[in-house]
Amino acid sequence: RQSLLGGGYALLNRTTLEPNPDFYIAALFSRLMGRAVLSLELKTAPAPTVGAVRAAPGGGGANVTAFAHCARHAGQGPASTSVVVLMVNSGEADVEVEVDPSLALASSPRLEYVLSSIDLHSQEVLLNGDPLRTRPDGSLPPLTPRRVEATLPPANGRGGEMRDHAVTAAHAIVMKPHSIGFFVLGASKRLQENGICGRPENEADEPS
């Protein structure tokens, strides 16, 4: 339809044929997000909520939107069963977000794909702070994640068990203004036990 009407194709620049910012968002969504959509609430209150992503009170938390899916393929993340949390910060301030342990394991590393730009009208996209540019032969740049190791707090002295609030804090994520982030995390024990994210039918088809 766009070709027939002479309109702009949102994924490519019509003049240079370079990928537009939307291209990289679509590519990461297709690569990472599986078919199974998980229930998720965005909370600004500090009280734990099952399946919640909590933004710190104040500081622009109302400007964050979040979604969660099972990872597209088993074993593609830091654990044998992973979930992907997609977050968008449309505000002007940093927002600290915590992923509830009922959704993801704090003891697991996470893979981060954070897209940003120096200007909202810029064609240049940064992935984890590095510019994405096509190669001289026109091929796409690699979409390489940043790996963040889990930094668990010390045990509370009672049989080596961790405090729930401390484990939650280990998965804090800071979303920069006007950024979009895909965060691949090890699925919680609850999700592993019910087998939702391990079902083959939840894996998306390969992109054509």
Side-chain angles (χ1 to χ4, degrees):
R1 183 177 65 87
Q2 295 286 4
S3 299
L4 293 173
L5 296 176
Y9 184 39
L11 299 184
L12 297 177
N13 183 296
R14 293 179 61 196
T15 303
T16 65
L17 298 183
E18 289 287 317
N20 280 333
D22 286 351
F23 176 91
Y24 294 108
I25 298 171
L28 286 172
F29 190 98
S30 177
R31 175 185 295 186
L32 300 174
M33 308 286 272
R35 286 178 173 159
V37 181
L38 303 173
S39 176
L40 182 145
E41 293 181 82
L42 186 63
K43 298 285 188 180
T44 55
T49 303
V50 172
V53 172
R54 295 195 302 282
N63 295 312
V64 173
T65 306
F67 310 88
H69 287 220
C70 293
R72 180 176 173 177
H73 294 302
Q76 77 176 67
S80 58
T81 304
S82 296
V83 298
V84 184
V85 177
L86 165 58
M87 287 189 281
V88 181
N89 181 7
S90 58
E92 302 285 344
D94 289 2
V95 179
E96 182 175 304
V97 179
E98 294 177 0
V99 178
D100 194 84
S102 64
L103 184 66
L105 289 173
S107 59
S108 171
R110 67 171 178 262
L111 304 181
E112 298 186 347
Y113 303 78
V114 180
L115 297 171
S116 61
S117 180
I118 58 174
D119 182 86
L120 287 177
H121 301 287
S122 174
Q123 282 288 110
E124 185 170 68
V125 180
L126 308 178
L127 175 61
N128 297 326
D130 295 323
L132 290 172
R133 299 190 179 104
T134 54
R135 297 181 172 123
D137 62 0
S139 60
L140 295 172
L143 301 178
T144 305
R146 173 173 56 212
R147 184 182 176 94
V148 178
E149 299 296 334
T151 52
L152 293 178
N156 61 14
R158 290 178 297 177
E161 296 179 357
M162 300 291 181
R163 296 183 179 90
D164 288 342
H165 71 274
V167 173
T168 304
H171 258 304
I173 297 169
V174 176
M175 286 292 293
K176 294 295 183 181
H178 305 299
S179 64
I180 298 175
F182 295 82
F183 302 92
V184 187
L185 309 105
S188 67
K189 291 182 180 179
R190 180 178 65 88
L191 290 178
Q192 292 182 43
E193 289 169 356
N194 64 30
I196 291 177
C197 291
R199 297 173 185 171
E201 63 268 27
N202 289 328
E203 295 190 0
D205 296 329
E206 292 292 337
S208 56

